[in-house]
Amino acid sequence: MAMAFNSLYALTLFVSLLLSFFMSISIADNSHAVVPPETLCHSTLDPSYCKFVLANQNGSIYDYCQISVRKSLSQSRKFLNAMYSYLQNPSSLSQPTILALQDCQLLSELNFEYLSKTLDTVDKAKDVLPTSQEDDVHTLLSAVLTNYQTCLDGLQTSASDPRVKNGLLSQLLDDMKLNSVSLYLFTKAWVPENRIWKPHGAIQNDGLPLKMSNKVRAIYDSAKGQGRKLLQTSDDSESVLVSDIVVVSKDGSGNFTTINDAIAAAPNNTAVTDGYFIIIISEGIYQEYVSIAKNKKFLMLIGDGINRTIITGDHNVVDGFTTFNSATFAVVGQGFVGVNITFRNTAGPSKHQAVAVRNGADMSTFYSCSFEGYQDTLYTHSLRQFYRECDIYGTVDFIFGNAAVVLQNCNMYPRLPLSGQFNAITAQGRTDPNQNTGISIQNATIKAAQDLAPTVGTVETYLGRPWKEYSRTVYIQSFMDSLIAPAGWHEWNGSFALSTLYYAEYDNTGPGSNTANRVNWSGFHVIDANDAVNFTVSSFLDGDDWVPRTSIPYQTSL
């Protein structure tokens, strides 16, 4: 009898697994299969809301994604109109509320643009999207959620007008849930499983650790000396296409005396095939708040070197700014490149959040730059970003945000924080498991800044802490000096996010790299090369498609 029962149980289990397998195949591979909304919605963050979005609908997963994205676009337009409405009469609002609403307006304009592009793509898409197009849309939908979250954070912490909060927060939370559904459906319809998380397998080594040699110096010399449309580098087979070149110099010897004037002169909405508009910034201290808008694409700013060309400001939260608009230098224009520049926020640790650079520019690159601040120095806000051979100074959460970002061959210098504070190098802000975002730190050197060095052992420094629920940060092949606390990572607030985050370390060196006494959170991992390769420039950023055109050197894999 027992044998018969076991056989029946085994058969039932086999049939159940077989049905599940064929259901998954039908969902993933058959664009014509009609799928009940319940089948898809059970794996979302809010199944009941997903069912509400897809109520009375009947179609394939592709149909559902189109429906959800269309609704997301419609809602984004309504939210943007609400921003315009509130800001039409700013005299009735407090200054902190106005600043928070202005942030939301900018972010909402970006969301409307991103969702318009997404809908155009999914409406025309076949069963399979080209990898680059799929990565573009995945990135845009991830950024939409990040933008809404940034708006929400600003309204909750800065807006002092209850009328504004009550009128916007519920709408904002619903829009975030709707966009989470759109992101989930897109990943299920068009993102192959091996793009969400690549499977274990042999790592290919083509023997070329660097995809490009360092040609930036030759570009700089050619630009400053000749101003050619096509800048030939030391290797004539490689070149950087340039539309125009201008020089900023404080002494009046260039085309402009301010960086903002040079940026204003750049053409609008250029394509990558038009070439870079290069702005050479001569040595000097530029006390400017620079903002590169979304229509200023493919700008390349080249300074005279770290601590020679310096852009500086001191906006901060204590003095009434939001974290988002405290940045000395902010960029959202696609394809931005910054080289040989120091970016500073001099507000100091007592002013708390004070951003030196806020980057929300897709396919942006910083090379041989320095970012100097205390709390919240480098805001890697959204989209795809690459940093190479940069110096980053700070105290609390000094690299934060929700971009897909790789920092390669950079130096991290934790500084002396306020009394009673500890240092956290990163605070990554991923809010949804389907976002393709995270911080990857590869081949870095982490050492105490000059002011912290005498106190190592009395001031704790951690690799990161979870700002948001699905925070994701990875350290790969980096040197960690003795300032890193043995636990490695610090909680944000009790047990928040400790099981949903993804923190990982691979093949690091130095006295602070020992993982024997690391945190025992279920979200922390010591990984192998097969997992680490997912967080390299090639895999994580799809960087082989866009970093080479900058002529910035980079390592494509491990």
Side-chain angles (χ1 to χ4, degrees), residues 218-233:
I219 293 170
Y220 174 81
D221 290 341
S222 177
K224 204 162 187 178
Q226 302 174 34
R228 302 301 183 193
K229 292 276 185 178
L230 187 65
L231 298 186
Q232 295 297 327
T233 62

Side-chain angles (χ1 to χ4, degrees), residues 219-530:
I219 293 170
Y220 174 81
D221 290 341
S222 177
K224 204 162 187 178
Q226 302 174 34
R228 302 301 183 193
K229 292 276 185 178
L230 187 65
L231 298 186
Q232 295 297 327
T233 62
S234 55
D235 177 357
D236 287 339
S237 67
E238 300 289 350
S239 58
V240 174
L241 187 63
V242 175
S243 64
D244 204 354
I245 300 160
V246 298
V247 176
V248 177
S249 181
K250 292 181 73 67
D251 63 8
S253 61
N255 306 96
F256 302 96
T257 57
T258 71
I259 300 166
N260 280 307
D261 284 346
I263 291 168
N268 295 332
N269 296 313
T270 56
V272 64
T273 51
D274 297 324
Y276 287 100
F277 185 89
I278 291 188
I279 300 173
I280 304 294
I281 308 174
S282 299
E283 182 173 1
I285 298 175
Y286 296 82
Q287 293 181 319
E288 297 185 52
Y289 293 96
V290 178
S291 182
I292 300 177
K294 64 180 181 179
N295 62 337
K296 298 294 183 179
K297 300 178 180 179
F298 302 104
L299 298 187
M300 183 181 290
L301 273 58
I302 305 178
D304 270 328
I306 290 175
N307 292 331
R308 295 182 66 190
T309 296
I310 300 167
I311 304 173
T312 183
D314 65 358
H315 287 173
N316 60 85
V317 168
V318 171
D319 289 341
F321 296 88
T322 64
T323 301
F324 187 81
N325 62 39
S326 71
T328 301
F329 185 95
V331 55
V332 294
Q334 180 183 344
F336 174 81
V337 181
V339 181
N340 294 343
I341 301 170
T342 290
F343 303 91
R344 282 183 186 156
N345 190 311
T346 60
S350 64
K351 297 290 188 175
H352 299 290
Q353 295 95 331
V355 176
V357 167
R358 187 191 80 236
N359 185 5
D362 197 22
M363 295 181 282
S364 55
T365 306
F366 285 84
Y367 174 61
S368 189
C369 289
S370 183
F371 306 88
E372 300 177 10
Y374 288 86
Q375 183 171 349
D376 291 2
T377 303
L378 175 58
Y379 195 172
T380 57
H381 182 263
S382 56
L383 303 169
R384 292 165 289 194
Q385 307 179 16
F386 177 60
Y387 299 75
R388 171 82 182 194
E389 295 173 35
C390 292
D391 299 336
I392 306 131
Y393 296 80
T395 55
V396 179
D397 308 333
F398 66 89
I399 303 171
F400 75 113
N402 195 26
V405 53
V406 174
L407 298 109
Q408 191 176 85
N409 291 42
C410 293
N411 300 307
M412 282 79 175
Y413 294 111
R415 306 173 88 167
L416 184 66
L418 292 174
S419 177
Q421 285 185 330
F422 59 85
N423 287 329
I425 297 173
T426 65
Q428 205 282 327
R430 187 164 165 254
T431 61
D432 191 294
N434 292 303
Q435 288 179 303
N436 62 350
T437 55
I439 296 173
S440 174
I441 295 174
Q442 182 184 14
N443 198 32
T445 298
I446 305 170
K447 291 186 174 182
Q450 188 172 5
D451 61 347
L452 179 66
T455 68
V456 168
T458 60
V459 174
E460 294 177 322
T461 297
Y462 295 90
L463 299 174
R465 59 180 185 150
W467 182 29
K468 302 296 181 184
E469 191 169 2
Y470 294 91
S471 184
R472 181 160 65 175
T473 302
V474 178
Y475 285 82
I476 299 170
Q477 297 172 323
S478 294
F479 175 84
M480 302 176 182
D481 213 345
S482 58
L483 77 162
I484 300 300
W489 308 82
H490 200 283
E491 68 275 1
W492 184 270
N493 184 15
S495 61
F496 169 75
L498 302 188
S499 61
T500 51
L501 59 77
Y502 183 90
Y503 287 167
E505 298 180 48
Y506 167 71
D507 195 27
N508 298 301
T509 59
S513 67
N514 190 331
T515 59
N517 295 309
R518 288 296 196 249
V519 293
N520 61 359
W521 310 336
S522 58
F524 170 72
H525 309 273
V526 177
I527 58 175
D528 60 16
N530 292 303

